[in-house]
Amino acid sequence: MKLFDGGLAPNPRRVRIFLAEKGIDVPLVPVDMAAFEHRGDGVTARNPLQRLPVLEFDDGSVLTESVAICRYFEERHPEPPLFGTGALGRARVEEWNRRLELNLLASVAAAFRHLHPAMREWEVPQIASWGEANKPKAEAFLRILDARLSENRFVAGEAFSIADITGLVAIDFMKPARIALPEGLVHVRRWHAEMSARPSARA
């Protein structure tokens, strides 16, 4: 199998971090998104949405969507468990991963896509007001996350999970989106420092 990878883009990075935490080595096929290679025939034939990452199996079939790809590897390599353990544990990871996707990563991505000059040819039309509207949405959710982390070492509880990966990638993506981490979020800052220090964060 091989993984079509998009470099610094958030979703490809989520999968690389997940694989690093699992200790799984999958050959990468670099795709230069800055050169619009993800819109070329090679990626389009594998994913008509023209999004990365794309996991291609040896028989030529493909799997898309970052969490779906991670779930596949979780089933094949259950240790360490990154989707939680037990009925409630797995549900808690799902709950917080979705919250982070919908309320933080999506808002940060919208700000980046609609405000960054480099995205002018990507996001047509670029709607600056929508980009600006998403900044306070991200900041508001970070306060909720800070309260959560005041009582838990990790986002979904006491064990590292895919929710922590999503949160790390989302907060790191705030820098190119030009969103400053609000002052006073001591628990988010503590958690982010710990997540950034994990070897997988460099994947």
Side-chain angles (χ1 to χ4, degrees), residues 9-167:
N11 284 317
R13 187 179 175 219
R14 280 205 287 174
V15 173
R16 291 199 311 275
I17 293 174
F18 188 93
L19 292 174
E21 287 285 341
K22 289 281 189 180
I24 301 170
D25 184 28
V26 178
L28 299 181
V29 179
V31 179
D32 187 350
M33 297 183 73
F36 293 95
E37 288 184 0
H38 60 295
R39 298 184 182 179
D41 293 342
V43 172
T44 303
R46 294 170 172 86
N47 183 3
L49 293 176
Q50 300 178 325
R51 294 174 185 167
L52 297 169
V54 173
L55 180 66
E56 182 174 271
F57 298 98
D58 293 340
D59 65 0
S61 62
V62 299
L63 183 64
T64 66
E65 302 300 330
S66 56
V67 174
I69 292 171
C70 291
R71 283 192 182 277
Y72 169 79
F73 284 110
E74 178 85 352
E75 291 294 322
R76 295 295 305 272
H77 305 271
E79 296 296 331
L82 298 182
F83 278 89
T85 57
L88 182 58
R90 285 190 288 270
R92 194 67 74 197
V93 170
E94 181 76 16
E95 172 187 43
W96 277 97
N97 193 55
R98 288 294 287 162
R99 285 181 168 185
L100 283 156
E101 284 183 320
L102 296 173
N103 299 287
L104 184 59
L105 184 54
S107 293
V108 173
F112 176 74
R113 294 180 72 93
H114 287 275
L115 292 170
H116 201 288
M119 296 299 292
R120 194 168 289 121
E121 294 182 40
W122 289 51
E123 196 66 40
V124 181
Q126 248 190 346
I127 304 172
S129 60
W130 177 237
E132 291 293 347
N134 272 277
K135 289 183 178 181
K137 293 177 185 289
E139 293 167 355
F141 181 78
L142 284 167
R143 296 185 182 94
I144 293 172
L145 181 61
D146 193 70
R148 171 70 176 173
L149 290 169
S150 71
E151 301 175 349
N152 298 272
R153 180 183 176 189
F154 299 101
V155 170
E158 293 307 307
F160 180 87
S161 73
I162 191 173
D164 296 288
I165 296 173
T166 299

Side-chain angles (χ1 to χ4, degrees), residues 165-177:
I165 296 173
T166 299
L168 170 65
V169 169
I171 290 178
D172 286 350
F173 199 49
M174 289 170 59
K175 183 175 181 179

